[in-house]
Amino acid sequence: MDFMKLLKSLEELLYELVSWLVFYPVTMWRSLVTPLSMMRYADIELADRPEDQYQDTLSPPLFLLITLLLSQGLSASLPSVYDPMEAARELGSGSNLLIARGVIFGIYPLCMAVTLLRSKTVAITRNSLRPPFFSQCYVAAPFAFLLVLSLDFFSMPQGQGLVAGTVALAVATIWYAQAQVRWFMHDLGIGAARALSIFVGALLFATLAAFLVALLITLDVKSIAPATG
């Protein structure tokens, strides 16, 4: 009986993994082309029963994590002045690196969601924070992918990726800005100028917070390394 349960679990796991091959490209395409619709979609899906949620796409946090995983693999395949495997070795494994990246880039949807709730003067609780955070993960994923890609280009030897990195960074920032400004305008009922100022403030705070978290993780790993070495 236990063996049959194990087979059933493996069957479900296999189906879930291969289904990503269909639903990940669909989710990415919709997030890129119609970001506001996907953000509304995330809100609506949370109102359904858990088993009925995100039937034709990936859930927002999972979408962000898979995107970071793909970005991590792409980073390892590009030439760099840095050892692409050094971070994974310092953190102990590639999965630990993925978790660290998830925490760092999860700060962006978190800051945007908190900014929206504060602007609405809504109390920040687990229940109130979940819908805007889930919505934000759909737009954070393409932004994070392009942002990391631009950094990978900048780290290529002899400045080979300088132009490509600049273009990737510009595209990431402009695309992310237009999606966020429209989101704040719609949800807060404000003008473009006000929405832009709110977005810029939230983006700067999120970037500073992400940098500090990345720095703390790096310092923590380096402090543990000598003790275990």
Side-chain angles (χ1 to χ4, degrees), residues 184-203:
F184 282 124
M185 289 175 63
H186 180 275
D187 279 38
L188 297 177
I190 56 178
R194 176 60 179 158
L196 179 61
S197 67
I198 292 176
F199 162 70
V200 171
L203 179 66

Side-chain angles (χ1 to χ4, degrees), residues 43-73:
D43 290 338
I44 294 171
E45 289 298 300
L46 281 177
D48 291 341
R49 295 178 303 175
E51 61 270 20
D52 295 330
Q53 294 175 0
Y54 308 108
Q55 289 291 312
D56 56 347
T57 61
L58 297 181
S59 70
L62 177 61
F63 175 55
L64 176 58
L65 282 175
I66 294 177
T67 301
L68 291 174
L69 178 62
L70 294 175
S71 172
Q72 188 171 311

Side-chain angles (χ1 to χ4, degrees), residues 6-212:
L6 176 61
L7 286 179
K8 189 64 177 178
S9 299
L10 291 175
E11 175 187 297
E12 292 297 327
L13 176 60
L14 177 61
Y15 175 72
E16 184 66 24
L17 291 175
V18 297
S19 70
W20 293 354
L21 298 176
V22 174
F23 295 119
Y24 179 81
V26 169
T27 308
M28 177 60 80
W29 174 255
R30 291 182 183 177
S31 297
L32 284 171
V33 177
T34 57
L36 260 65
S37 295
M38 287 299 286
M39 295 165 89
R40 299 281 82 78
Y41 167 80
D43 290 338
I44 294 171
E45 289 298 300
L46 281 177
D48 291 341
R49 295 178 303 175
E51 61 270 20
D52 295 330
Q53 294 175 0
Y54 308 108
Q55 289 291 312
D56 56 347
T57 61
L58 297 181
S59 70
L62 177 61
F63 175 55
L64 176 58
L65 282 175
I66 294 177
T67 301
L68 291 174
L69 178 62
L70 294 175
S71 172
Q72 188 171 311
L74 181 60
S75 297
S77 67
L78 292 174
S80 174
V81 295
Y82 306 106
D83 183 356
M85 301 304 297
E86 181 62 26
R89 284 196 295 268
E90 289 184 349
L91 288 170
S93 68
S95 59
N96 289 343
L97 176 59
L98 177 61
I99 293 172
R101 285 190 170 196
V103 171
I104 292 168
F105 285 101
I107 290 174
Y108 285 91
L110 178 65
C111 284
M112 295 297 169
V114 169
T115 298
L116 178 73
L117 294 179
R118 287 178 61 87
S119 298
K120 286 183 171 182
T121 63
V122 173
I124 300 175
T125 65
R126 287 183 177 273
N127 289 334
S128 66
L129 185 61
R130 182 180 294 270
F133 176 78
F134 270 52
S135 295
Q136 281 293 321
C137 283
Y138 274 138
V139 292
F143 171 68
F145 185 86
L146 287 174
L147 181 60
V148 173
L149 183 62
S150 70
L151 297 177
D152 290 335
F153 282 137
F154 286 137
S155 66
M156 292 177 70
Q158 301 176 348
Q160 300 172 27
L162 183 59
V163 174
T166 302
V167 171
L169 180 60
V171 171
T173 304
I174 293 172
W175 180 86
Y176 194 55
Q178 61 82 27
Q180 296 293 1
V181 168
R182 291 162 58 202
W183 185 64
F184 282 124
M185 289 175 63
H186 180 275
D187 279 38
L188 297 177
I190 56 178
R194 176 60 179 158
L196 179 61
S197 67
I198 292 176
F199 162 70
V200 171
L203 179 66
L204 291 176
F205 183 84
T207 301
L208 177 60
F211 174 78
L212 290 176

